[in-house]
């Protein structure tokens, strides 16, 4: 429970739950990766949740399984999306729908 509270606080410091990936690393077996905010089931189908934490968690997974180049490309695309500031979700002080943010990151990955 305290670990969950600490990760939530860390997420808020870094910019919000929508930006924070999480990983439960097991060096001897299966690890688990997810956005800190979890699956946000109450928002299912509403196109409201920032996809960056989920995409970033996928990049952490790729890094863990040895796909470091693919992971780096995804993280770089996330960074470009944030720095460009053209596509932002409500939690980043804008009104863009999250799907557009995810689409922009996918476009940036394809370009890299």
């Amino acid at each position: 429970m305290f670990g969950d509270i600490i990760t939530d606080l860390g997420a808020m410091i870094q910019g919000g739950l929508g930006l924070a990936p999480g990983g439960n690393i097991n060096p001897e077996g299966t690890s688990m990766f997810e956005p800190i905010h979890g699956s946000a089931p109450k928002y299912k189908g509403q196109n409201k949740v920032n996809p960056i934490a989920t995409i970033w968690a996928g990049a952490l997974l790729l890094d863990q399984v040895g796909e470091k180049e693919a992971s780096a490309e995804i993280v770089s695309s996330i960074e470009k999306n944030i720095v460009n500031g053209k596509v932002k979700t409500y939690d980043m002080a804008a009104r863009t729908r999250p799907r557009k943010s995810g689409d922009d990151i996918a476009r940036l990955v394809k370009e890299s």
Side-chain angles (χ1 to χ4, degrees):
M1 179 174 87
F2 293 115
D4 185 49
I5 293 168
I6 291 169
T7 57
D8 288 355
L9 290 172
M12 296 312 291
I13 290 168
Q14 107 174 11
L17 290 175
L19 298 177
N24 297 301
I25 310 298
N26 178 358
E28 298 176 11
T30 304
S31 299
M32 183 185 80
F33 301 88
E34 65 179 347
I36 292 294
H37 60 64
S39 62
K42 71 179 182 180
Y43 297 112
K44 181 182 177 191
Q46 297 179 32
N47 196 20
K48 288 185 176 180
V49 179
N50 187 334
I52 290 177
T54 305
I55 296 167
W56 205 332
L60 292 176
L61 169 80
L62 289 172
D63 186 70
Q64 178 71 17
V65 299
E67 294 293 334
K68 298 195 182 300
E69 187 177 320
S71 175
E73 287 178 13
I74 292 169
V75 172
S76 175
S77 297
I78 291 169
E79 291 168 351
K80 288 176 189 171
N81 170 266
I82 293 169
V83 170
N84 291 344
K86 294 178 184 175
V87 183
K88 292 183 182 178
T89 55
Y90 74 94
D91 58 327
M92 298 171 72
R95 302 239 183 245
T96 305
R97 288 295 197 183
R99 184 169 291 134
K100 290 185 180 182
S101 181
D103 290 346
D104 187 54
I105 293 168
R107 179 187 61 78
L108 292 165
V109 169
K110 287 179 186 177
E111 289 177 0
S112 62

